[in-house]
Amino acid sequence: MREIAVFSGSAHPRLADEVCAHLGVPLSPVRVSRFANDCLEVQLQANCRERDVFLIQPLVAPVQENLVELLLMCDAARGASASRITVVMPHYSYARSDKKDEPRISIGGRLVADLLVASGAGRVLAMTLHSPQVHGFFSVPVDHLHALRELAAHFRGHDLSRTTVVSPDLGNAKQAAAFARLLGVPVAAGAKQRFADDRVQISSVIGEIAGRDVIVLDDEIAKGSTVLELLDRLRELDARTIRVACTHGLFSAGALGRLSAEPDVLEIVCTNTVPVPNGDRSDKLRVLSIAPALAEAVRRIHNGESVSALFHETP
């Protein structure tokens, strides 16, 4: 059996610490420095030769800095004769750039996937991609996890007798339907049109809302413009209570404060795929750990076991 070596970039070392604690292995040190000309240099400060190397780094702000750091970590591991290099990427921010919907724009999701493979990544472990088809951009195996089980376990502590799961748009409706099945409740979806990165319109909500306890489910919340627009429609439809849930709580530009200020939002639930921005806290926020799920997936990859079986086990 090859030995395992786990390294973390600068993006989210606390999550890497949790993953290693569940695996029962040490988190190997990494030195990141900067040349006088502002170029980054990365050194993996543990032996990689013929070892199964896992590099943990979500792509969060500053995204480009963290991306280059991850590429350099891959290259360093390849140059150190790692047996296999698996990139553990709990948040792949470039997954939003998944199609050419305007003239002369780049498809960043595919380009970044090519860069990761070119730098030495032999496998990718991702969590809740914005567009599931993005894993097809990679020419190496991709294990695509989701956080629905962790979110469902949290909400089972509530009275679900009058609950409806609501997806903000039809694109996320499949995930919302799977989440609703885990909870044993009905699902609804918004009809959304996006005009800009932070300007959307939801004209209607398809499904039963009046008098219902609503759980709004999205894959990520950045500026929160979609959720805030959806809240207006839910109020018009006489929702009884509202809770908000997502996998990636990016909460940029004060989004957490704006959502928390909504009096009918009782709770905001996310996972720790990304660090909550410093100084951005709320009594309504609940952060769930996905470290056990990532650790179990890493263990199964290392041992050559099925990762897809994780989705078929009883929650």
Side-chain angles (χ1 to χ4, degrees):
M1 178 69 69
R2 295 168 299 179
E3 290 186 54
I4 189 172
V6 182
F7 299 89
S8 172
S10 304
H12 202 353
R14 181 179 297 179
L15 175 61
D17 278 331
E18 284 190 47
V19 171
C20 286
H22 285 281
L23 285 170
V25 302
L27 179 62
S28 299
V30 178
R31 180 181 62 82
V32 180
S33 56
R34 198 176 292 269
F35 291 107
N37 65 355
D38 202 41
C39 291
L40 289 173
E41 181 184 56
V42 171
Q43 181 186 37
L44 305 180
Q45 297 186 303
N47 180 32
C48 296
R49 186 174 298 275
E50 297 305 318
R51 300 181 79 180
D52 200 3
V53 172
F54 293 83
L55 307 174
I56 301 177
Q57 179 88 320
L59 295 186
V60 295
V63 173
Q64 281 59 243
E65 290 270 327
N66 288 324
L67 171 59
V68 172
E69 187 179 289
L70 177 57
L71 295 173
L72 293 174
M73 290 170 67
C74 287
D75 184 64
R78 178 175 58 182
S81 300
S83 174
R84 181 177 59 183
I85 302 167
T86 300
V87 169
V88 181
M89 196 162 40
H91 178 54
Y92 184 35
S93 52
Y94 275 96
R96 293 180 68 98
S97 180
D98 63 339
K99 56 187 174 296
K100 188 175 179 181
D101 52 2
E102 291 184 45
R104 298 173 299 282
I105 63 171
S106 64
I107 303 176
R110 184 184 61 196
L111 174 61
V112 171
D114 289 343
L115 289 172
L116 286 166
V117 174
S119 69
R123 192 177 196 95
V124 173
L125 175 61
M127 173 76 72
T128 312
L129 294 169
H130 181 70
S131 301
Q133 65 269 22
V134 165
H135 78 257
F137 290 163
F138 289 88
S139 57
V140 296
V142 176
D143 292 300
H144 184 199
L145 304 182
H146 60 66
L148 298 184
R149 291 163 57 89
E150 288 74 13
L151 292 169
H154 171 81
F155 283 105
R156 286 194 188 99
H158 299 290
D159 177 8
L160 300 176
S161 59
R162 293 181 60 83
T163 296
T164 297
V165 172
V166 178
S167 170
D169 54 53
L170 298 178
N172 194 56
K174 185 175 181 179
Q175 283 289 90
F179 183 58
R181 284 195 298 272
L182 286 175
L183 295 178
V185 302
V187 66
K192 184 177 82 171
Q193 184 176 6
R194 182 175 290 279
F195 300 99
D197 184 51
D198 60 350
R199 192 165 67 89
V200 300
Q201 181 183 47
I202 297 177
S203 56
S204 61
V205 177
I206 305 165
E208 184 182 357
I209 300 298
R212 306 288 293 179
D213 298 315
V214 168
I215 301 174
V216 175
L217 178 74
D218 210 348
D219 62 319
E220 68 177 54
I221 297 176
K223 290 185 176 180
S225 52
T226 294
V227 176
L228 289 169
E229 172 74 8
L230 179 59
L231 292 180
D232 289 338
R233 302 290 82 75
L234 295 175
R235 292 182 188 111
E236 292 170 1
L237 295 169
D238 295 323
R240 189 168 75 165
T241 64
I242 301 172
R243 289 179 167 85
V244 177
C246 68
T247 299
H248 310 298
L250 300 173
F251 302 129
S252 59
L256 181 58
R258 288 194 297 275
L259 289 173
S260 299
E262 298 292 327
D264 46 3
V265 173
L266 303 183
E267 191 177 35
I268 303 165
V269 183
C270 69
T271 74
N272 62 343
T273 54
V274 302
V276 176
N278 288 331
D280 218 359
R281 293 290 186 269
S282 166
D283 291 339
K284 295 182 179 181
L285 180 65
R286 305 288 181 270
V287 181
L288 312 178
S289 179
I290 47 83
L294 287 177
E296 179 61 14
V298 167
R299 188 192 66 79
R300 289 177 180 236
I301 291 170
H302 177 64
N303 292 335
E305 301 173 10
S306 172
V307 174
S308 63
L310 288 171
F311 300 120
H312 304 301
E313 295 172 354
T314 303

